[in-house]
Amino acid sequence: MSKIKLTSQVLEKWLGIKANTIRKHVSNHELGPQAYYWKLMFTPYKGDSSFPHQGALIATSVAQLPGFLSANFSLGFQCVFDVLHDMVSDISTQDILLKNGLTMEAFQLIQISLANTLSKYKFASELEIDYHDNLTMVDLKELKLFGFDFEQVRQNKYLPIYQYFLKLKPNQAWEQLDGCKAWAILKGERKTPYLSLEKIKYLDQFFRLLKSARLNISNIAILYGPKAYQEELHLRVGEVFISSFGRRPYFFEVKNHRSHPKIYMSLCNKELMPDKVAYGSATSMAGFNAIFLAALIWIGCVTCNP
């Protein structure tokens, strides 16, 4: 940590003490600037603070968003995604704040939106929240088990949807809310990386978002087993797909498997052919799910509507 150079401006944002005041203290202190800055960093600030005690914010099992959020709040999707990735990678809170240039208030906002999202859509069997030192920290150890993998996001097939959210401004977040909620409902609480299309009434909103992101529909595979065929789910999904994208999707019939939904969507790295589809790990949507989870948490942060 001592290799990271601190400035009085960073400490002003961190501690709420004016940078000029910090520099004056340095000149009157026997320690050098960096040694003093680091000493100050880990010394609890006793001054006035308008930020309330976090224990008062979360009195129930579902956390409540703090009241400091304003219409001009500028937290971006990239920052939220990077914070979640860092948390999954077990990076310390102090390093996450420094690496992403976050205030403690912004970090707490992400944590609260994360807790609300995981609880609302049951993306964790037990939601563990640590309130140590007035800091809300959500335990993400189960995230991969529930079908989310931030390491897979860099795959080319996920790039269009990742870049789509990346380019959005906070004031555009509301427009994505319905599509992201539809994704969350389709994903469901099952412990698999697959994305079910069984809940037909949510497909229109979800497909509309994919179309806005200009996802190449020739990379989309829809796989279904005998049960879906019997219930004609593939026909109903096809109708919504054609209505949304203007063409028939690529369907592939597969064997029933207890961990697979009756009918589900997959993305492939290359454009599909009617008689070919990639199986195995290529059908996993864990990276796709991680992007949408980050998007839903980001939207919760900037709209107060996780």
Side-chain angles (χ1 to χ4, degrees), residues 144-168:
K144 196 166 185 178
L145 180 65
F146 274 77
F148 301 93
D149 192 342
F150 284 82
E151 296 300 327
Q152 288 190 19
V153 168
R154 306 303 178 186
Q155 295 181 20
N156 289 335
K157 62 183 179 180
Y158 300 134
L159 197 57
I161 195 70
Y162 179 78
Q163 289 181 334
Y164 173 72
F165 285 118
L166 202 61
K167 293 175 183 177
L168 294 175

Side-chain angles (χ1 to χ4, degrees), residues 15-78:
L15 302 173
I17 306 174
K18 294 293 185 183
N20 288 338
T21 302
I22 295 173
R23 288 194 292 271
K24 287 179 182 178
H25 288 174
V26 170
S27 62
N28 297 325
H29 204 282
E30 59 184 12
L31 294 176
Q34 287 301 310
Y36 180 75
Y37 288 163
W38 279 108
K39 181 177 183 295
L40 195 60
M41 175 70 79
F42 293 105
T43 301
Y45 179 48
K46 303 299 184 182
D48 293 334
S49 174
S50 60
F51 191 65
H53 187 285
Q54 285 300 318
L57 290 177
I58 308 178
T60 63
S61 59
V62 178
Q64 302 298 314
L65 289 173
F68 61 79
L69 189 64
S70 70
N72 297 320
F73 196 72
S74 59
L75 188 65
F77 168 78
Q78 177 76 74

